Amino acid sequence: MEKLTSLLLEKSVVPAEIMQKIKEGTTSEKNLLHNLIAKGVITENFVIKFFGDLIREGSLSIDDIDQLPDNLKEKILKYLAKLLNIDYLDLDSIDIDFRLASKLPLSQLRKFEAIPIKEEDINIIISFKDPLDMNAQESIQRLFPKKPIKPTISNAKQIERYLNKLELSESVKGLINEIRKEINSGNANDARESSAILRLIQIILQTAIISRASDIHVEPTEKNCIIRSRIDGILTETFIFDKDIYPPLSSRLKLLANLDIAEKRKPQDGRFSATIMKKEYDFRISTLPIMTGESIVMRILDKTKAMIKLEEAGMSDYNYKKFVNSLKTPYGIILVTGPTGSGKTTTLYGALNMLRSIEKKIITVEDPIEYQMNLVQQSQVQPKIGFTFASALRSILRQDPDIVMIGEIRDQETLRIAVQAALTGHLVLSTLHTNDSISAITRMVDMGIEPYLVSGSLIAIEAQRLVRKICPYCKEKTIILPNIERDLKEYLPQNYQFYKGKGCKQCNMSGYMGREMVSEVLTVDDQMASMIAREESKEKIAQYAKEHGFVNMLQDGINKALEGHTTIEEVLRVTRLS
């Protein structure tokens, strides 16, 4: 970044006295360019043209703009592509021909930071990190003697990520050939006899677990069999096989989960266990008929996650204290809210882990039971036989419980029974789908529960989302765009610093590793209970909560971004700033 700002001085774009004045008011050298744009000394369009022209004439390299925000860097690359009369390719939005790339030595592709995209009638499209590197172009051209190459430009992070994926596919090439031999000999048609398919499944499961994936998706397309993993909440492709690998792979997975191999017309559900790297995992498997075959999804259930301690779930200290104090209340309702996949179940298990003891009877009703816990009686709903959340809850209350956990409140009947249970001396924990904690109050009233019952039963509402954590191996300081700074002005301290992950092999060039919670905890005191009973507006309740120390989810997320746990982009992605 110092090189970029010094170039602005050398070319007399920004007078030295203005540069010094702005420099004195910043926390770091990195913020200089950001402040120059924010204060209107230069425009973003000027920066794009200025640095694009310098790269074109050789005064600046593409590596020099690596420190810039991703969206600004992308605009500079697009401008450079226009100058060079070539295409800019977003590799995530196109279909790369991996068979073409697999014909070339991976070491050569890594050396020249290039990846073949596809073969056309008259040329072969290759994407380069640096299209001005003539040595790289000549070397890649020698690998394709029959057709001329057509150079394009792409983001270096994307090229690195797809080369890593290619390396992963290379590692199973021998196994794929073995499976093909078994297919040709007829052995692979009998899923029980195919040892190569079983080894491939083991590699797929192991790769997903090492990558910290929560789900594995096996998806057939017209030409390929794609394996995707959900890592830190985001789906990424891990393997791409030819279509002929899909039939024996899907048959073997069905066999493992005791599903009907011949049934391809209707969805099926099952589960199986496997020992991966000397540790046992459960896998919940679901099949769905689609146009090109069957989509198969495996949820990875790690038993150790059920034993997670609440203090290790990533809740901020101020929210953790409020939530734990609420759990000490002998009776009432505590709600955990958020969209699907926001970690609500993990938080509830963490709460049960803290509450369970010999002295207390804890009963849960779940759909389905994901993790088994000692000292907790767990029951699973069976809608086909009429054993719903509501009917299960009625039966549970006759079992003399101290604490009841309801997996999800979906209807008025379940909610009414839960409220009655809370008012008659039980501690009830459950989840609700609302955007924030205060919305849960109005949702309960909208579902038909009288406001005085809501006010009398509610103890606390915790709302949460999961944000991806910055990779510790490539963490670096960053700047935010002027429009984001403007929107967040009221939440930011005088001198602030945000961070990001540059992208490295450890995090598969994503810049993120793992996830953490951002949350808000609304505790219902006597005054707020009175406001709920009087049906005060959501705005008035929010104002009262704020005056009494309530920290909303956006502020909690910004605090975590300022501490360097996550990026401001992640916080805005999950909290949906309006």
Side-chain angles (χ1 to χ4, degrees):
M1 190 60 80
E2 285 184 29
K3 184 174 181 179
L4 300 182
T5 48
S6 61
L7 276 167
L8 291 170
L9 272 174
E10 282 172 30
K11 303 282 182 180
S12 302
V13 173
V14 181
E17 59 272 17
I18 293 177
M19 184 75 87
Q20 186 58 37
K21 196 174 178 183
I22 290 174
K23 197 169 182 178
E24 284 167 5
T26 66
T27 53
S28 71
E29 181 74 32
K30 196 155 202 179
N31 284 326
L32 273 176
L33 189 62
H34 160 69
N35 282 352
L36 289 169
I37 296 171
K39 296 190 184 298
V41 178
I42 51 178
T43 64
E44 186 181 79
N45 284 339
F46 175 82
V47 170
I48 292 164
K49 189 175 183 305
F50 180 72
F51 291 129
D53 290 340
L54 287 178
I55 294 169
R56 174 73 181 89
E57 66 185 45
S59 306
L60 201 65
S61 76
I62 284 175
D63 286 332
D64 290 326
I65 63 166
D66 218 33
Q67 302 292 313
L68 294 175
D70 286 341
N71 60 341
L72 185 57
K73 185 179 172 183
E74 186 180 339
K75 287 173 184 175
I76 293 170
L77 292 178
K78 284 180 178 176
Y79 174 73
L80 181 62
K82 201 173 178 183
L83 285 180
L84 299 172
N85 199 26
I86 61 173
D87 292 329
Y88 171 84
L89 296 183
D90 176 6
L91 299 187
D92 290 336
S93 62
I94 58 175
D95 195 10
I96 298 172
D97 186 350
F98 278 90
R99 280 173 293 185
L100 179 66
S102 64
K103 292 175 184 175
L104 304 183
L106 192 62
S107 58
Q108 290 286 86
L109 295 177
R110 283 204 181 279
K111 182 181 176 183
F112 300 116
E113 295 179 282
I115 188 164
I117 305 300
K118 65 177 178 179
E119 185 172 355
E120 295 185 328
D121 291 338
I122 55 171
N123 52 34
I124 291 169
I125 297 172
I126 310 283
S127 217
F128 290 89
K129 171 194 167 180
D130 184 1
L132 292 165
D133 186 346
M134 290 301 122
N135 179 41
Q137 287 192 34
E138 287 167 11
S139 300
I140 296 291
Q141 180 64 75
R142 281 197 290 273
L143 297 171
F144 291 102
K146 293 182 181 178
K147 281 187 181 179
I149 65 166
K150 181 184 176 183
T152 62
I153 185 171
S154 291
N155 187 306
K157 277 187 187 177
Q158 289 186 338
I159 291 174
E160 176 70 18
R161 197 167 71 241
Y162 281 97
L163 288 177
N164 288 344
K165 200 179 293 182
L166 198 62
E167 187 176 2
L168 203 57
S169 296
E170 286 280 309
S171 65
V172 294
K173 193 183 269 185
L175 199 54
I176 296 299
N177 291 334
E178 211 175 308
I179 292 167
R180 288 208 173 99
K181 284 178 188 173
E182 289 181 352
I183 292 170
N184 294 332
S185 66
N187 285 349
N189 293 328
D190 183 356
R192 294 171 200 275
E193 297 297 321
S194 176
S195 60
I197 277 288
L198 201 54
R199 295 208 307 279
L200 181 63
I201 289 170
Q202 190 81 1
I203 288 169
I204 291 169
L205 299 181
Q206 187 171 319
T207 304
I209 287 164
I210 289 170
S211 305
R212 312 175 320 281
S214 58
D215 303 85
I216 303 166
H217 296 242
V218 181
E219 300 163 334
T221 64
E222 280 186 29
K223 296 177 182 175
N224 301 308
C225 168
I226 297 170
I227 312 293
R228 298 198 289 171
S229 299
R230 190 174 292 281
I231 302 165
D232 299 334
I234 308 293
L235 274 174
T236 56
E237 280 180 2
T238 45
F239 294 99
I240 298 179
F241 305 126
D242 288 343
K243 185 70 181 278
D244 61 342
I245 301 301
Y246 174 75
L249 179 62
S250 61
S251 294
R252 183 72 219 198
L253 286 171
K254 283 183 173 182
L255 198 64
L256 284 171
N258 291 317
L259 302 180
D260 185 350
I261 294 175
E263 182 55 77
K264 294 179 172 66
R265 297 167 303 164
K266 64 181 183 183
Q268 297 186 73
D269 294 295
R271 54 195 300 156
F272 67 92
S273 296
T275 303
I276 312 290
M277 296 176 293
K278 298 180 181 177
K279 187 176 173 187
E280 191 167 320
Y281 291 86
D282 287 336
F283 297 88
R284 202 170 73 225
I285 189 167
S286 164
T287 72
L288 179 74
I290 57 173
M291 203 166 75
T292 49
E294 286 178 288
S295 169
I296 299 172
V297 177
M298 290 174 278
R299 164 65 59 90
I300 302 169
L301 302 174
D302 182 356
K303 292 171 183 176
T304 57
K305 286 184 180 176
M307 298 299 112
I308 192 167
K309 292 180 180 176
L310 203 54
E311 60 266 31
E312 293 170 6
M315 206 180 278
S316 305
D317 287 342
Y318 44 85
N319 283 333
Y320 174 73
K321 284 171 188 169
K322 282 185 186 177
F323 192 61
V324 169
N325 285 336
S326 302
L327 290 173
K328 291 174 183 173
T329 312
Y331 56 87
I333 288 184
I334 296 173
L335 290 175
V336 177
T337 76
T340 303
S342 60
K344 300 188 298 294
T345 306
T346 303
T347 301
L348 282 180
Y349 274 119
L352 289 180
N353 208 14
M354 178 179 280
L355 293 168
R356 64 189 177 133
S357 69
I358 298 289
E359 293 82 28
K360 290 174 184 169
K361 173 99 171 178
I362 302 175
I363 306 180
T364 74
V365 52
E366 304 170 57
D367 182 23
I369 297 169
E370 291 202 357
Y371 305 106
Q372 293 178 7
M373 296 182 80
N374 291 331
L375 298 175
V376 177
Q377 316 303 312
Q378 296 169 274
S379 60
Q380 183 167 317
V381 297
Q382 302 281 354
K384 288 179 183 175
I385 59 168
F387 189 59
T388 61
F389 276 112
S391 62
L393 197 47
R394 282 196 201 92
S395 303
I396 283 170
L397 295 175
R398 291 194 286 270
Q399 289 275 311
D400 186 31
D402 297 293
I403 299 165
V404 178
M405 192 270 268
I406 309 163
E408 187 183 337
I409 292 175
R410 295 175 182 169
D411 52 51
Q412 187 199 25
E413 189 182 7
T414 308
L415 180 57
R416 188 166 290 281
I417 299 165
V419 168
Q420 288 167 355
L423 292 170
T424 53
H426 303 86
L427 180 62
V428 180
L429 308 178
S430 190
T431 68
L432 204 61
H433 288 280
T434 60
N435 286 333
D436 55 57
S437 54
I438 296 170
S439 298
I441 297 169
T442 49
R443 177 66 55 83
M444 290 175 78
V445 175
D446 290 344
M447 286 175 77
I449 306 299
E450 294 79 359
Y452 71 90
L453 291 178
V454 174
S455 68
S457 58
L458 259 184
I459 302 168
I461 306 160
E462 189 256 1
Q464 66 180 68
R465 301 285 189 281
L466 291 177
V467 290
R468 291 180 290 170
K469 290 196 290 186
I470 297 170
C471 170
Y473 298 98
C474 58
K475 182 177 173 180
E476 60 178 18
K477 292 178 180 178
T478 189
I479 54 176
I480 59 171
L481 295 172
N483 61 317
I484 295 176
E485 184 184 48
R486 191 174 59 248
D487 290 340
L488 300 179
K489 201 170 184 180
E490 62 178 294
Y491 297 101
L492 298 174
Q494 186 74 31
N495 294 318
Y496 66 88
Q497 178 63 63
F498 287 113
Y499 303 84
K500 69 167 186 176
K502 185 180 178 181
C504 63
K505 202 161 184 178
Q506 298 284 345
C507 60
N508 197 22
M509 300 308 294
S510 68
Y512 296 100
M513 187 179 283
R515 287 192 289 177
E516 193 171 280
M517 181 198 303
V518 293
S519 61
E520 60 185 35
V521 178
L522 181 74
T523 50
V524 180
D525 58 16
D526 291 342
Q527 179 62 34
M528 190 177 290
S530 176
M531 292 174 80
I532 294 168
R534 292 197 308 270
E535 295 187 64
E536 294 277 14
S537 69
K538 184 179 169 182
E539 290 73 26
K540 283 187 179 178
I541 293 172
Q543 182 61 38
Y544 172 80
K546 190 177 178 183
E547 289 167 3
H548 289 77
F550 173 69
V551 178
N552 68 27
M553 209 183 312
L554 176 60
Q555 181 67 71
D556 185 52
I558 291 169
N559 291 347
K560 283 186 181 288
L562 289 167
E563 290 164 8
H565 296 296
T566 186
T567 63
I568 194 66
E569 289 79 14
E570 269 296 287
V571 173
L572 297 179
R573 179 179 71 85
V574 301
T575 56
R576 290 182 189 162
L577 179 67
S578 54

